[in-house]
Amino acid sequence: MRAYQAVFKLRLSLGLQYRAAALAGLATQFFWGLMSIMVYDAFYSHTSTVPAMSFEQVVTYIWLQQAFLTFVMLWFRDPELFGMITSGNIAYELCRPCGIYGFWYAKLVAQRLSAAMLRCLPILLVACVLPGRYRLSLPANTGATLFFVITLLLGLLVLVAISMLIYISVFYTMSPTGSVMLMAILGEFFSGMIIPIPLMPSWLQQIAYALPFRLSADFPYRVYSGHIPWQDAVPGAGVQLLWLAVLAGFGYLWLNRALQRVIIQGG
């Protein structure tokens, strides 16, 4: 565990050094958030039916998307890991006195966490002081806040377990392009990043609920906004833990099997 803690602290401190890149991304995220809210504002102003989510909940949902974007985007990648697999430098990883799965997992969690720490606070602060209907609402009570934090962190762990499958697949394909594109498209849509899941048709909602992607974004954001009462979030957190165990266990076994067939040429 000391090796995993060490790489986690190292990657976290390294990621926090890229402040200029984080500030550059803030402008893009503010623009995208405002543009998305304006689109929904137009739809809500002319709808003839009662939507499954209130406009206030949708606005909160969108600002949380932008604040914690690095927690949920599957196209966020570590080129170093892909390079080690495709170049044969994975041999250096095999020499480490610790498991590769846990080592890489801790590294990826730290990378996403450091990126979110640099961006989330400015976005949340500005979103809380925006005028009128575009303002980020605060949680209804302490329970909602607590379970939002719990489910958000569990969602991060689930998403990293999913992203680990992308890296493991490169042992077989020797190219990350296909895996990243496929998982990014599926993950972004069924996590609610394009359309909040309650606003999808019922048949699409059933597919989304059967997949683990929504647990990283849609579920914690709806807990925060009050669309899912915090009392009802307890079973959802259990589902997150179940998916985390399944994905991490499958990834661990798949990586061990992939390492058994690795052939490294040269000296």
Side-chain angles (χ1 to χ4, degrees), residues 215-260:
L215 300 174
S216 63
D218 177 82
F219 177 56
Y221 299 164
R222 288 165 62 193
V223 171
Y224 179 101
S225 67
H227 190 263
I228 297 178
W230 69 267
Q231 296 90 340
D232 297 339
V234 178
V239 174
Q240 287 179 307
L241 289 171
L242 179 61
W243 268 111
L244 176 60
V246 171
L247 292 168
F250 175 74
Y252 178 81
L253 295 175
W254 192 20
L255 178 60
N256 288 338
R257 183 173 181 179
L259 292 176
Q260 293 175 2

Side-chain angles (χ1 to χ4, degrees), residues 168-240:
I168 298 170
S169 69
V170 179
F171 281 99
Y172 297 88
T173 64
M174 296 307 295
S175 173
T177 304
S179 301
V180 171
M181 290 298 294
L182 178 63
M183 294 296 286
I185 293 172
L186 289 175
E188 190 165 358
F189 184 80
F190 286 110
S191 65
M193 295 295 290
I194 306 299
I195 304 172
I197 291 179
L199 302 182
M200 293 181 179
S202 57
W203 64 273
L204 265 181
Q205 291 186 37
Q206 294 177 6
I207 298 175
Y209 288 139
L211 297 173
F213 302 112
R214 72 177 187 90
L215 300 174
S216 63
D218 177 82
F219 177 56
Y221 299 164
R222 288 165 62 193
V223 171
Y224 179 101
S225 67
H227 190 263
I228 297 178
W230 69 267
Q231 296 90 340
D232 297 339
V234 178
V239 174
Q240 287 179 307

Side-chain angles (χ1 to χ4, degrees), residues 107-184:
K107 181 189 294 187
L108 295 175
V109 170
Q111 286 178 340
R112 291 178 179 270
L113 187 60
S114 62
M117 289 171 65
L118 290 172
R119 300 186 183 198
C120 69
L121 190 58
I123 292 176
L124 294 176
L125 288 176
V126 173
C128 283
V129 298
L130 287 175
R133 289 157 56 85
Y134 288 9
R135 183 184 299 121
L136 171 69
S137 302
L138 297 177
N141 49 55
T142 305
T145 305
L146 176 62
F147 272 88
F148 165 69
V149 174
I150 293 173
T151 55
L152 183 69
L153 294 177
L154 286 176
L156 170 63
L157 299 180
V158 171
L159 189 89
V160 173
I162 296 173
S163 68
M164 279 292 296
L165 302 180
I166 299 175
Y167 294 97
I168 298 170
S169 69
V170 179
F171 281 99
Y172 297 88
T173 64
M174 296 307 295
S175 173
T177 304
S179 301
V180 171
M181 290 298 294
L182 178 63
M183 294 296 286

